[in-house]
Amino acid sequence: QCAVMRKYLTGIWACMQTQTAFDSTLLFSEQHIKN
């Protein structure tokens, strides 16, 4: 659970820095699921 929370927080922080919309599909792409 902590790893997932950290991943979401990192993604949200990156979206805030680049001023883009949050998209959870980028966090859990096919490449990450296979590894």
Side-chain angles (χ1 to χ4, degrees), residues 20-31:
T20 57
F22 178 75
D23 186 6
S24 64
T25 58
L26 297 175
L27 295 177
F28 299 102
S29 64
E30 287 284 328
Q31 179 185 3

Side-chain angles (χ1 to χ4, degrees), residues 7 29-35:
K7 193 167 195 168
S29 64
E30 287 284 328
Q31 179 185 3
H32 293 106
I33 293 172
K34 288 180 182 177
N35 292 337

Side-chain angles (χ1 to χ4, degrees), residues 2-31:
C2 288
V4 174
M5 285 191 322
R6 179 179 169 87
K7 193 167 195 168
Y8 268 105
L9 286 174
T10 304
I12 291 169
W13 180 252
C15 289
M16 289 171 59
Q17 294 297 317
T18 59
Q19 296 182 349
T20 57
F22 178 75
D23 186 6
S24 64
T25 58
L26 297 175
L27 295 177
F28 299 102
S29 64
E30 287 284 328
Q31 179 185 3

